[in-house]
Amino acid sequence: MQGEDTDENCENRQPVYAVFLPDDVQNSPRSLYSSLTEAAKFANSPEYKTRGARFRRFDNSNEAINFFDSRQASFRDNSPRLSGADPAVPFQAPTKIQMNRFKMTIEKLNFEDFMRFVDENPRFLVNTSGDCPAIVQEGFRYNVLHVGARVGAGEIVAKTLLLTSDIKFLVRLYGTNDADALIRRENIMTGFLCTPDKGNIGTPLVIALKFGHTSVVKAITEFTKLPVCDAIRPRLNLNIPMLLDDSILCSRYTGKESKEDIKKEIKLLFNSLYVPLYRAADGTYPAKVFPPTEFPRPILVPGSGDCLPGVSGTHPQLLACVYRLTAYAGPFLGEESAKKFYREWNQSGNIIKRSDMDKGFERVGRDLSAKSGVDWTESWLFLDEMCNVTTDYGLQMVEKYLSQLRLQNLPEFDDENVDRIRKRLFDDDDEDELEGAGDFPGTSMAEQTTTSEDEFCDASDIFFEDLEQNRAADDSLMGITERLDETVLMEAESMELDAFHIQSPPTNFSAAQQEDDEKMGAAFSDDDYDTPPPSPPPVFLLEEPTKMDNDLYIALSTLSKERLEQYPQVAAFVRQMSKVEERTRTCWPGTDSPRCPRTRSKQRLIHKRRLL
């Protein structure tokens, strides 16, 4: 009797394949098959193929029975009945020629053309007849992930996984509703991540590991950590020791970089630890550095079992409010190095932490990461995602933001201002004054020319020089704003005086001289002269100087001049901030300060905080 039970348990532990009807689970055949071939043959039979039959793999027969029971109740209670076997998909299946062009786009790593193909026809990614990945290359039966894993198209692989797991994308593809798309999504995701190719029997992850494509490995491993993969994660069979064995890892690597460095980088993606920093969402509690973890979650919510780490041997405390991830260091290869970083981050830089409540912990962690050679990531309110602003990717994001801000803040010149600039550059009276400069004792032509050039210096230089000269008077933002207004008023008065001087004709000219001048003026109109480009005003992250400008300057000031010059707007920002003394910059108000003007940029940040 005991032997019979053992045999029965062994049979229950064997993998099985079940065929079901998504539109009519209650009347689905509950036949279980031990091989994929038998299940596919039954699902493709004329009777069940017209009814849209699907098949799935389960680890044992009990799991398959539970699937039928749960889905039967779900369909009976919540899911709408669909008429017909398959929905009327609003997109045509791509031809072989079109699919070949699509494959070549992936192999060329052309992300823009890849998105153009998918936007025009989502069926380049998904085979709607079987709710499975579309075959991009016949023979080896490669889907998009297989092709991307071979050539290292990490961005394309990541986008494919995000799109095919998005309910809105599937609703548009099938032309149905959210409930229907939710049922199909699990099978599609499983197909992308778990389907081996026909030649080497390798999943996309295994292929990426063999060729040493770190970007693809990172895209897949990070995606599998998302909550959307909770249901299929047990079927991924992530046997990490086997995957990282030398027989697989970088076994077909042919790149120029060191193979050992690539192996180390990939191993960090699997055996990695991070040291995160969380801040209270409402700002009522100080920032907290948490112990090393596999990958930090973006939000910690009270009642979810999360606790604040204990300090100096005290017990962990339950969360009193929502905490958000604002920075993290890592990945660390070993637990010991992660714990060492965690201790140093907590114990060092206490003066900076107490004096800078907004970015003190981030400044200390940033410096420790640079010293330890560990990757660093932090959040910035003016950017849409977390990054390290000292890396190329982070500098590109800052450069893009400053460029957009510069375009928004371009000054508008009316006809009077344009005429004034023309007069000061090209008026004959000014040339006469320069020619007669030698008549003034003690003044040379070079000095007069230098004085004239100084009048056209950069507007940002004038602003920051005036800011430094008057710093002792008032370091507050109100004082800065008032001095800026005074500068504008003085400039306006100068414009009026110049206009009065230019528009007043000389009275000692004879009638003949005036007639000659009028003829000469008719021959040369104002249209013959080009208006010189205006000097751009100083750019601040929120249109007015705030503490966030100083925080960004501190982070960027560690970069070399040669590195900054690759990003013109970032270099200009650092150059402008360097003209202001540290004492002045530290007095600029924070974004949540009442002294900070409610500009359009600040309103956008306030709205962003509320969404978070």
Side-chain angles (χ1 to χ4, degrees), residues 300-314:
L300 301 180
V301 183
S304 60
D306 297 311
C307 298
L308 292 176
V311 181
S312 301
T314 60

Side-chain angles (χ1 to χ4, degrees), residues 385-530:
E385 60 180 284
M386 300 179 68
C387 68
N388 183 354
V389 294
T390 61
T391 63
D392 288 333
Y393 181 71
L395 287 169
Q396 291 173 7
M397 295 181 64
V398 177
E399 176 77 9
K400 181 179 179 181
Y401 178 84
L402 292 176
S403 299
Q404 294 174 348
L405 200 61
R406 176 75 74 177
L407 292 176
Q408 295 173 3
N409 293 343
L410 283 178
E412 296 182 0
F413 286 87
D414 53 21
D415 294 338
E416 183 180 356
N417 289 343
V418 172
D419 182 67
R420 167 181 166 268
I421 295 174
R422 283 200 183 114
K423 292 291 185 182
R424 297 185 68 173
L425 287 176
F426 304 108
D427 191 43
D428 294 336
D429 293 342
D430 293 340
E431 295 178 1
D432 295 338
E433 293 177 2
L434 289 174
E435 292 176 359
D439 298 337
F440 295 95
T443 306
S444 63
M445 176 67 73
E447 293 174 349
Q448 291 291 332
T449 304
T450 303
T451 304
S452 176
E453 291 176 353
D454 289 342
E455 293 179 357
F456 302 103
C457 59
D458 197 309
S460 60
D461 295 339
I462 297 176
F463 175 81
F464 286 106
E465 289 174 4
D466 179 71
L467 187 67
E468 286 302 312
Q469 293 173 0
N470 297 276
R471 177 182 53 77
D474 187 359
D475 285 336
S476 65
L477 178 65
M478 186 62 69
I480 296 172
T481 307
E482 290 176 355
R483 290 197 297 277
L484 180 59
D485 293 339
E486 292 175 1
T487 304
V488 175
L489 291 175
M490 291 173 62
E491 181 68 8
E493 294 175 359
S494 175
M495 289 168 54
E496 294 177 359
L497 291 175
D498 290 342
F500 177 79
H501 171 72
I502 294 171
Q503 294 174 3
S504 299
T507 58
N508 57 348
F509 283 176
S510 63
Q513 288 176 324
Q514 293 184 12
E515 183 177 357
D516 292 340
D517 291 342
E518 291 177 358
K519 292 180 180 180
M520 185 65 68
F524 298 96
S525 63
D526 289 343
D527 295 335
D528 296 330
Y529 303 107
D530 295 330

